[in-house]
Amino acid sequence: MAGNRTLTIIKPDAFNSGKSGLIIAHLEKAGFKIISSRVMRLSEPQAQAFYAVHRERPFFAPLVRFMTSGKCMPMVLERADAVATLRKTIGATDPAEAEAGTVRKLYAESKERNAIHASDSDENAEREAKFFFAEAELI
Ligand code: CMP
């Protein structure tokens, strides 16, 4: 995706509490364009596959439980330097450590229920985009 796309997920805590509109507005103000989006509830196998890299971590089971607890909103976003800019825009994993004005500082409840996901590399952005969207939805 040549460094200009990334994958985000508005997680069940934020979606369920009606924060998706505010979060999308925040991302658009930061210069991101939505390429593709959907509202869905992850199945347990889908959540396990998406977070497979964390399967040995102690937080894996609660993470899968949380991510399957309600609807979420995966989106492919586009702007220059997308991966790094989105990670800066959303802030640290733990909202207690996130900078003021970041999405997680504003909307996340905790490190576990942290409102939003962002890909951590161009390779993962491409893999994660394909996890949720068909080729035709990524044009
Ligand atoms: P995310 O960016 O979606 O990627 C992995 C997720 O695991 C992370 O956000 C957190 O929501 C969740 N998580 C829960 N506990 C921890 C932890 N101790 N360290 C890192 N991530 C955690």
Side-chain angles (χ1 to χ4, degrees):
M1 288 197 287
N4 65 345
R5 288 191 181 185
T6 190
L7 185 283
T8 190
I9 307 172
I10 298 177
K11 295 186 180 184
D13 57 329
F15 186 83
N16 191 45
S17 61
K19 304 280 171 42
S20 49
L22 291 166
I23 292 174
I24 289 168
H26 192 118
L27 299 177
E28 289 183 332
K29 268 188 217 149
F32 289 96
K33 184 176 166 201
I34 300 172
I35 298 299
S36 236
S37 168
R38 72 158 45 99
V39 173
M40 65 182 295
R41 186 167 182 164
L42 285 169
S43 67
E44 198 174 311
Q46 281 175 318
Q48 287 170 340
F50 185 79
Y51 283 114
V53 67
H54 296 305
R55 68 183 167 272
E56 306 301 334
R57 309 287 289 273
F59 59 81
F60 182 69
L63 173 63
V64 168
R65 220 162 25 243
F66 163 57
M67 289 301 293
T68 56
S69 67
K71 289 184 175 179
C72 67
M73 204 171 172
M75 292 186 276
V76 174
L77 302 177
E78 187 171 273
R79 63 151 277 164
D81 200 15
V83 166
T85 306
L86 184 62
R87 290 181 75 79
K88 192 164 171 46
T89 302
I90 73 172
T93 304
D94 184 345
E97 291 165 15
E99 272 184 48
T102 58
V103 173
R104 284 174 172 155
K105 189 58 150 194
L106 289 166
Y107 305 117
E109 295 173 21
S110 66
K111 191 173 191 173
E112 290 71 30
R113 298 168 61 84
N114 65 353
I116 189 164
H117 166 84
S119 307
D120 64 4
S121 66
D122 286 343
E123 294 68 34
N124 282 338
E126 185 167 359
R127 183 183 62 76
E128 292 175 2
K130 287 179 178 163
F131 184 93
F132 288 108
F133 299 101
E135 227 31 86
E137 296 172 298
L138 297 173
I139 293 167

